[in-house]
Amino acid sequence: MAANRRNKIVSATEAVAHVRDGDTVATGGFVGVGFAENIAVALEQRFLASESPRGLTLVYAAGQGDGKDRGLNHFGHAGMVKRVIGGHWSLVPRLQQLAMDNAIEAYNLPQGVISQLFRDTAAGKPGLLTHVGLGTFVDPRHGGGKINARTTEDLVELTTLGGAEHLFYKAQPIHCAIIRGTTADACGNVSMEREALTLEALAIAMAAHNSGGIVIVQVERIAEGAINPRQVKIPGILVDFVVVAEKPEYHMQTFSTHYDAGFAGEVRVPLSEIARMPLSARKIIARRALMELRDGDVVNLGIGMPEGVANVAAEEDLLDRVTLTAEPGVIGGMPAGGLNFGAATNADAVIDQPYQFDFYDGGGLDVAILGLAQADRCGNLNVSKFGSKLAGSGGFINISQNAKKVVFAGTFTAGALEIAIEGGALRIVQEGECCKFVEEVEHRTYSGTYAREKGQPALFVTERCVFRLCEDGLELTEIAPGIDLERDIFGQMEFRPRVAAGLRQMDARLFADAPMGWTLTGHG
């Protein structure tokens, strides 16, 4: 026991000394949940002092950062990384800049695919065969997930199996795993009782170990004795180095919360205390999206605008009538927003991220409510790349392609939009600066053609109108009271959509300050 303790428990500086030039490094985390900040800081300090390790390949599934300088932003130095394979980029502006400057090889692959690839690497498989990504920018016919001109190697192949098209994503060895837990014992066994998520930590550790690499785990404490085997999430046989976080800010539960017992499932928090959203474009959109849910639905809520659906569901006392989920592994409860996104208060269960995506990919979601950044005439969506801004797809591709129904939620225009609600009618005080309904999207994160071929219902919900996906693109089905069809809708689009013969007015309750009194109907 003593030898194991001395061999495995080291400082962050000692641990990162084992990372070599040219290594492929995999990190776990979701925004700030489960990210080993102390290890990342130590690795950055080593590089700045010695320009080593150089030429790293960084692989990560979910966005890991705060949009400023934490998380994977510590890797954002010229020469430190040569290649980045990431699921989401908007929270890591330093890496994003390197990619957009053509200074590194850069790929954006679906978050679920990357999390599942860690398991395939651990199992010695050549890669992942899946339908996820067909018709989107990760399809080799539309770019293969490559972000810039410097990126040339094909990591995705189009293949046909059993008469159906699939994508094959290549696996690769992992030389260093950087993950996080709560408690470690002297043998390197790790538990996660205070973590908001378990993520893909086990899959990453196993992938690195079975690739002949090393596994570094950051924890906040060391157990006096052995950890109960039922609580062990990372077996000690996989762990090479254990680092105890040197500062509380290096081991926050999320990047905005030091510790919330409700996120960890230690206590249940009364949801009646949640503050009501003020009446706004965001609330109108969230309410209209809520109206697409049915009693008993299993739902995914995306980041940003869709987060409001949880709030209005709580206001209408409907949280116990549907099961809200988030892609990193939470099932049930109240999903959190902002830098807490990914965590949930009063979750019913927390499972590993690769298994959550197995559930999603196989059609387990009844409804997905996702962001609406840019849509085109054919019903394609872009949430991943806008000019010099690389947001990345995150879990959007997995979720949007495989839910039984998808609702895209967002304002009709972007940037400086101001509205007023007067006497139950909507008035545009100041129009947004950016058109969101364009002739052709810049980056195809969702394929309208693929959705139509599958027969997937898709709605596009804004504060002033609602579209549905039909056989030849978008069809306008609802318009808000007070909105002028030509001026406020057609005049703010690059194309003229079909208008439903039975164009109707959006429900008046969406525009009232009082709760809607909405009830959920059953299926069928």
Side-chain angles (χ1 to χ4, degrees):
M1 279 295 185
N4 281 331
R5 182 184 291 269
R6 285 195 300 271
N7 288 341
K8 293 191 175 181
I9 301 173
V10 299
S11 70
T13 300
E14 291 170 326
V16 301
H18 294 271
V19 182
R20 303 163 302 181
D21 291 352
D23 272 356
T24 296
V25 178
T27 61
F30 189 95
V31 189
V33 180
F35 185 79
E37 180 75 3
N38 204 155
I39 309 301
V41 168
L43 199 60
E44 179 183 39
Q45 290 173 343
R46 178 188 162 195
F47 176 79
L48 293 176
S50 65
E51 296 194 355
S52 179
R54 296 185 61 82
L56 299 175
T57 292
L58 175 63
V59 185
Y60 65 93
Q64 299 164 19
D66 62 354
K68 298 176 182 177
D69 51 17
R70 289 185 288 181
L72 291 177
N73 291 292
H74 295 297
F75 287 74
H77 300 282
M80 187 174 182
V81 293
K82 69 174 182 180
R83 171 182 287 190
V84 176
I85 304 168
H88 199 267
W89 287 75
S90 69
L91 296 171
V92 285
R94 293 182 184 175
L95 289 177
Q96 182 183 145
Q97 192 62 53
L98 292 174
M100 300 313 292
D101 288 346
N102 211 35
I104 59 173
E105 298 171 27
Y107 298 84
N108 180 202
L109 301 182
Q111 179 181 327
V113 166
I114 297 175
S115 70
Q116 293 161 337
L117 269 173
F118 291 134
R119 289 190 314 199
D120 292 325
T121 299
K125 297 178 181 179
L128 176 68
L129 187 70
T130 177
H131 61 281
V132 172
L134 285 169
T136 73
F137 73 88
V138 298
D139 188 318
R141 293 167 292 192
H142 302 290
K146 303 182 187 77
I147 296 303
N148 57 27
R150 182 169 180 160
T151 307
T152 58
E153 183 181 351
D154 294 326
L155 298 186
V156 190
E157 297 177 2
L158 177 67
T159 185
T160 301
L161 184 66
E165 290 184 340
H166 293 79
L167 297 181
F168 179 72
Y169 296 83
K170 299 177 184 178
Q172 59 185 308
I174 302 297
H175 304 124
C176 176
I178 299 176
I179 55 177
R180 196 178 97 172
T182 298
T183 308
D185 65 20
C187 296
N189 297 304
V190 177
S191 61
M192 295 186 172
E193 64 272 17
R194 286 171 58 87
E195 303 296 315
L197 300 166
T198 59
L199 299 167
E200 66 278 84
L202 177 59
I204 293 175
M206 200 173 289
H209 181 273
N210 288 0
S211 298
I214 61 170
V215 177
I216 304 171
V217 185
Q218 176 182 312
V219 298
E220 61 176 293
R221 59 196 183 192
I222 301 297
E224 287 298 321
I227 296 174
N228 184 317
R230 296 281 185 169
Q231 294 181 321
V232 172
K233 287 296 296 182
I234 313 296
I237 59 169
L238 303 178
V239 176
D240 296 286
F241 304 105
V242 173
V243 174
V244 179
E246 297 164 2
K247 301 177 182 178
E249 56 266 35
Y250 286 163
H251 206 98
M252 296 173 65
Q253 196 178 38
T254 77
F255 275 151
S256 65
T257 301
H258 278 277
Y259 182 72
D260 184 321
F263 289 166
E266 184 181 355
V267 299
R268 295 192 70 82
V269 178
L271 296 180
S272 58
E273 298 176 2
I274 296 173
R276 286 178 55 195
M277 289 176 64
L279 189 57
S280 61
R282 179 184 177 90
K283 188 166 189 176
I284 293 166
I285 293 165
R287 282 174 160 178
R288 181 59 188 85
L290 176 70
M291 293 170 69
E292 291 303 310
L293 304 187
R294 297 294 177 263
D295 199 9
D297 274 352
V298 178
V299 183
N300 172 272
L301 298 181
I303 194 168
M305 189 69 70
E307 296 171 18
V309 176
N311 191 287
V312 296
E315 181 181 321
E316 302 292 333
D317 198 25
L318 296 174
L319 276 180
D320 62 344
R321 305 297 296 274
V322 295
T323 300
L324 303 181
T325 71
E327 59 267 31
V330 293
I331 297 173
M334 175 80 171
L339 289 179
N340 288 328
F341 183 68
T345 300
N346 300 348
D348 297 323
V350 178
I351 65 175
D352 287 359
Q353 182 167 243
Y355 291 107
Q356 187 82 311
F357 278 105
D358 289 343
F359 176 70
Y360 287 177
D361 293 351
L365 282 173
D366 294 301
V367 183
I369 302 175
L370 303 170
L372 169 55
Q374 186 184 68
D376 68 17
R377 176 187 294 276
C378 297
N380 301 315
L381 253 85
N382 172 24
V383 300
S384 45
K385 187 173 182 291
F386 308 89
S388 61
K389 182 181 179 182
L390 173 61
S393 61
F396 191 97
I397 295 175
N398 296 83
I399 297 164
S400 65
Q401 284 195 331
N402 296 303
K404 294 183 180 71
K405 177 168 71 174
V406 62
V407 178
F408 299 111
T411 55
F412 192 81
T413 57
L417 172 67
E418 292 184 26
I419 67 164
I421 302 167
E422 301 164 343
L426 182 66
R427 181 170 64 88
I428 307 302
V429 177
Q430 177 175 297
E431 192 56 81
E433 299 165 347
C434 300
C435 175
K436 294 172 68 170
F437 288 88
V438 298
E439 184 66 32
E440 183 178 358
V441 293
E442 175 183 351
H443 217 223
R444 192 184 300 176
T445 330
Y446 175 82
S447 168
T449 300
Y450 184 80
R452 282 190 292 272
E453 290 172 353
K454 285 184 59 181
Q456 180 194 52
L459 265 68
F460 301 72
V461 174
T462 77
E463 80 287 349
R464 70 187 73 176
C465 64
V466 177
F467 300 95
R468 75 173 183 93
L469 184 65
C470 64
E471 59 271 16
D472 56 358
L474 297 190
E475 179 181 66
L476 181 67
T477 59
E478 299 177 35
I479 185 170
I483 290 297
D484 182 86
L485 181 62
E486 291 291 337
R487 181 192 65 225
D488 299 327
I489 297 180
F490 295 156
Q492 306 301 324
M493 304 175 71
E494 291 185 1
F495 62 93
R496 197 174 183 93
R498 175 195 289 190
V499 178
L503 180 65
R504 62 184 184 272
Q505 198 169 84
M506 295 171 72
D507 194 307
R509 289 172 291 183
L510 300 173
F511 306 94
D513 193 47
M516 292 191 297
W518 187 253
T519 58
L520 300 181
T521 60
H523 289 266

